[in-house]
Amino acid sequence: MGCALSVAPSVATFLSMSTPRRNPCELEIDLFCHGVRMDVSCCIAEDGRPVARTRAGLGSGLEIIIPGNLKDLWVNVPVEEDFVRSSPYLLRKREGRYEVTDARNGEVYVLRLPTEPRWYEGTTSAGTRMREVGVLQGTYLGIYVSNSCMYWYGEPAKNCRFCTTGFNVGVNEVAEKSIEDVVELAQRAKDESGVTFVHFNTGYQKGRGLQQIAPYVKAVKERVGALIGVQAVPPRDSSGLWQYDWLRDLGADHFSFCYEFHTPEVFAELLPGKEETVGQQAFFRAMEYCQARMPKGACSGEIIAGVEPVAATLAAIDYITGVGAFPTVCIFRPVVGSDMEHYPSPRYEDMLPIMRHMYVACRRAGIPIGVAPNIEVSLIVNPDDAQYLVPRTPAFHLDRLWLRMVKLLAQRHFKRAMRPQQVRGTLKPAQLSTMSRP
Amino acid sequence: MIRTPAGDFAVPPDGNVVALQTWLHALQSSAALFHWRQDRAGIDLACAIPVAEQPNRARLKLFAPDMGVMVAFFYKESQVPFSTDRFAYGAMIHRRCAPTESECAASVVWMLSGLHPEQRPEGIKRAFPFDIPR
Ligand code: SF4
């Protein structure tokens, strides 16, 4: 069946021939900023992954792979948002392969579409559709464990303004995830899709987010075996930071801290729930606490580029890499249904220096990038994607060699971490009984 | 049984009939044109009036998730034909009560705007503990 998303912009819109051919990472950034229109020749239902919004904060697009000589890049390209209608990029299928054409200069880029995992249409033994429990985002499995984020409940709602998660749960995914469903899904995703990393996310749960995730972490680590990432709103003060040690004992390998905006005023305005309940400093405190106890790059600071001034995003990257964490930089997407639906998509020219800076800052801080096995995040420009943005000097090649050695040395550690294993921690540590509700 | 322009709709015995009737009356008496997709769960209506010369993506689904509860769920469909995604914009939940005329009227205006975020009527819940049927 042909699939069309097309209100084609007129040729005159793209008269300028000044746009040079993009390298893979430049193309990735440009696609994040403009999205892609789809020609009637595309048959994504047969050839690609369905556009899934489960666990969609900023992502609701089409998963593609841009091949490259340094590495292939996974990108979740906007297709649903209104700004896509004027994108210079058109995706089409020709002679059995997919390519995007840039109407500004006629350049053609060949792409691949990752196929839909067979388990997407499968059900768990309890009868739940697997894709409603979790979805692949790039090559990792993302699972939103909770019954929505509490910032969405209440009048007025205090949700992060770019987010639509509260709208999705119960609409495109089941409201409550059972541990058995999650374990079954993780096992199939590992067996059939080669998933190495399972990421649990829970939004705001009135100070109980980390506890809510704990049983899933333990179950997947013990019964499936995978690298495990955790993301939740951090505790308001330092008395709750012990929970990160507890989660590590239960099997967590990675923590991410989504503080989104570096400028305190922008944080307060666009993240009213986070501002009111914990504040920006709680994110910094938790990230610094965890990163100080874990290997470099085991934690990440998540930020959104394209809303606050470029200088603020650069400062955020410097701060995150300065504490030894990994910067995950999303390019802002005015997602359909969000409060920021009518904001403009960011400019390519602004995003390019940010991503270049991200790569340089990581390398300067000695953060190993691209070392973990088979983890490609499609919603962001991965730091090692940005290696395409720096000159290929002898120092660059030497650094790549060094990273390859680190990867080789880390293999044994990752292999061990991905085996099903008895964990040290218990689900009822003594501290839990003394914990007060914030 | 509720009679609608597109046909008859059997209200589940545990549904909130009064709320459903109020909604249908409000929709029928508005100047806007709605298409009823009978292959969808509940009463699923698409607004047929374009917005800024583009097709209006606003949809309303009326359904009864629980005894005595009636939900008016606002959403958009994906504009990508192969996608089954729905973009939720919130819901009005009527527990053993019916919407007021002004609530219905504001909702119709909102649908005519293509569910513009700045025209969201009061009383729309952004998050709700129901699975939305297809
Ligand atoms: S914490 Fe913010 S971004 Fe995360 S789910 Fe809640 S509203 Fe969305």
Side-chain angles (χ1 to χ4, degrees):
Chain A
M1 185 189 73
C3 309
L5 159 64
S6 320
V7 181
S10 71
V11 178
T13 315
F14 303 125
L15 269 183
S16 160
M17 296 295 284
S18 59
T19 308
R21 183 173 174 83
R22 306 290 192 209
N23 73 31
C25 187
E26 290 168 345
L27 179 62
E28 175 182 33
I29 296 168
D30 218 7
L31 286 170
F32 273 129
C33 294
H34 286 111
V36 71
R37 294 172 292 117
M38 271 184 253
D39 183 67
V40 287
S41 57
C42 299
C43 294
I44 309 297
E46 286 147 37
D47 301 331
R49 279 187 196 170
V51 176
R53 269 168 53 89
T54 305
R55 195 180 169 276
L58 280 173
S60 54
L62 176 71
E63 298 267 302
I64 64 163
I65 301 168
I66 304 172
N69 61 350
L70 298 177
K71 66 169 289 207
D72 294 351
L73 310 187
W74 289 69
V75 193
N76 182 284
V77 187
V79 290
E80 291 285 10
E81 288 68 25
D82 288 348
F83 71 85
V84 171
R85 292 174 177 173
S86 55
S87 171
Y89 290 107
L90 178 71
L91 178 72
R92 58 185 175 184
K93 186 177 181 181
R94 216 161 53 174
E95 292 164 14
R97 65 179 198 180
Y98 280 88
E99 57 188 33
V100 285
T101 308
D102 184 343
R104 293 167 298 190
N105 53 14
E107 290 286 353
V108 176
Y109 304 90
V110 175
L111 307 170
R112 297 201 306 276
L113 302 187
T115 50
E116 177 180 60
R118 269 191 313 158
W119 53 264
Y120 262 30
E121 292 309 321
T123 52
T124 64
S125 13
T128 315
R129 277 180 81 197
M130 284 196 166
R131 66 173 289 194
E132 294 184 356
V133 179
V135 292
L136 292 182
Q137 305 218 297
T139 58
Y140 78 90
L141 178 65
I143 297 174
Y144 200 95
V145 300
S146 69
N147 185 7
S148 193
C149 164
M150 292 301 144
Y151 292 145
W152 288 82
Y153 294 84
E155 294 294 336
K158 300 247 166 38
N159 59 288
C160 305
R161 295 305 180 216
F162 58 82
C163 175
T164 58
T165 295
F167 284 148
N168 287 332
V169 176
V171 178
N172 293 314
E173 65 178 69
V174 290
E176 300 229 12
K177 312 284 159 65
S178 90
I179 289 184
E180 288 310 310
D181 280 354
V182 166
V183 166
E184 273 185 50
L185 169 69
Q187 188 66 61
R188 278 201 65 183
K190 181 179 178 182
D191 294 344
E192 294 177 24
S193 302
V195 160
T196 57
F197 182 57
V198 180
H199 188 256
F200 293 108
N201 187 322
T202 176
Y204 183 59
Q205 300 300 324
K206 298 190 174 170
R208 305 273 154 173
L210 294 168
Q211 293 165 51
Q212 192 179 50
I213 289 176
Y216 298 93
V217 172
K218 182 173 189 289
V220 172
K221 197 66 166 189
E222 289 191 330
R223 295 165 60 188
V224 181
L227 296 170
I228 294 182
V230 168
Q231 183 177 110
V233 176
R236 189 172 48 185
D237 57 46
S238 49
S239 67
L241 294 175
W242 63 268
Q243 293 173 89
Y244 292 105
D245 303 317
W246 172 50
L247 280 164
R248 285 180 64 203
D249 286 345
L250 291 176
D253 302 283
H254 169 87
F255 296 106
S256 48
F257 301 93
C258 45
Y259 79 95
E260 324 293 8
F261 304 112
H262 204 64
T263 315
E265 294 75 29
V266 179
F267 180 97
E269 186 194 336
L270 297 179
L271 315 176
K274 288 179 179 173
E275 171 71 5
E276 190 181 297
T277 55
V278 296
Q280 193 187 38
Q281 288 301 321
F283 287 84
F284 297 157
R285 195 182 305 118
M287 180 159 60
E288 289 167 24
Y289 177 89
C290 293
Q291 188 53 66
R293 287 158 178 75
M294 296 171 81
K296 256 191 184 175
C299 294
S300 60
E302 293 197 9
I303 50 171
I304 298 172
V307 177
E308 58 185 341
V310 170
T313 306
L314 299 181
I317 291 169
D318 289 340
Y319 163 69
I320 294 165
T321 53
V323 303
F326 192 92
T328 50
V329 186
C330 270
I331 291 181
F332 169 66
R333 184 177 304 186
V335 176
V336 183
S338 72
D339 294 334
M340 295 172 77
E341 178 172 357
H342 299 291
Y343 277 51
S345 185
R347 293 174 61 233
Y348 167 81
E349 293 74 17
D350 291 338
M351 297 301 103
L352 191 66
I354 287 176
M355 299 310 171
R356 187 178 294 129
H357 184 76
M358 170 182 68
Y359 180 81
V360 172
C362 281
R363 301 312 307 125
R364 199 182 288 145
I367 293 166
I369 55 179
V371 167
N374 190 32
I375 305 179
E376 296 292 343
V377 185
S378 57
L379 290 173
I380 63 165
V381 177
N382 294 274
D384 60 334
D385 295 355
Q387 62 188 298
Y388 285 104
L389 304 179
V390 297
R392 303 209 186 165
T393 59
F396 170 82
H397 291 293
L398 217 63
D399 187 48
R400 269 179 58 84
L401 209 66
W402 183 79
L403 280 173
R404 221 175 292 159
M405 271 170 49
V406 175
K407 188 170 183 166
L408 221 64
L409 291 172
Q411 254 176 18
R412 262 184 59 185
H413 161 76
F414 285 124
K415 240 186 184 161
R416 246 197 333 264
M418 289 187 302
R419 276 202 290 263
Q421 57 199 270
Q422 193 67 39
V423 299
R424 271 205 304 255
T426 80
L427 286 176
K428 293 211 179 339
Q431 294 98 317
L432 263 189
S433 53
T434 58
M435 209 178 141
S436 62
R437 187 172 279 270
Chain B
M1 192 76 82
I2 302 270
R3 191 133 291 192
T4 75
D8 292 338
F9 176 71
V11 182
D14 53 357
N16 181 341
V17 182
V18 183
L20 183 58
Q21 278 172 330
T22 311
W23 268 108
L24 292 177
H25 176 73
L27 292 164
Q28 277 171 357
S29 50
S30 82
L33 179 64
F34 295 93
H35 293 311
W36 181 15
R37 288 285 305 268
Q38 294 190 60
D39 55 339
R40 305 286 169 91
I43 295 185
D44 196 302
L45 302 160
C47 187
I49 312 285
V51 183
E53 293 169 26
Q54 298 284 349
N56 190 337
R57 294 166 70 187
R59 301 189 78 99
L60 168 64
K61 184 190 283 291
L62 301 166
F63 70 99
D66 268 328
M67 182 80 81
V69 181
M70 153 86 214
V71 173
F73 169 63
F74 298 89
Y75 72 108
K76 287 182 184 174
E77 288 202 307
S78 167
Q79 60 181 351
V80 179
F82 55 79
S83 169
T84 57
D85 270 354
R86 295 175 292 179
F87 296 84
Y89 280 69
M92 278 189 191
I93 298 163
H94 312 293
R95 294 177 199 275
R96 301 188 192 284
C97 63
T100 63
E101 264 177 42
S102 64
E103 279 175 333
C104 292
S107 301
V108 170
V109 170
W110 189 35
M111 289 188 74
L112 289 171
S113 76
L115 304 178
H116 194 288
E118 282 160 18
Q119 295 198 34
R120 183 182 285 124
E122 282 179 21
I124 297 282
K125 293 262 179 266
R126 288 161 167 257
F128 32 83
F130 308 116
D131 285 344
I132 310 293
R134 294 264 169 201

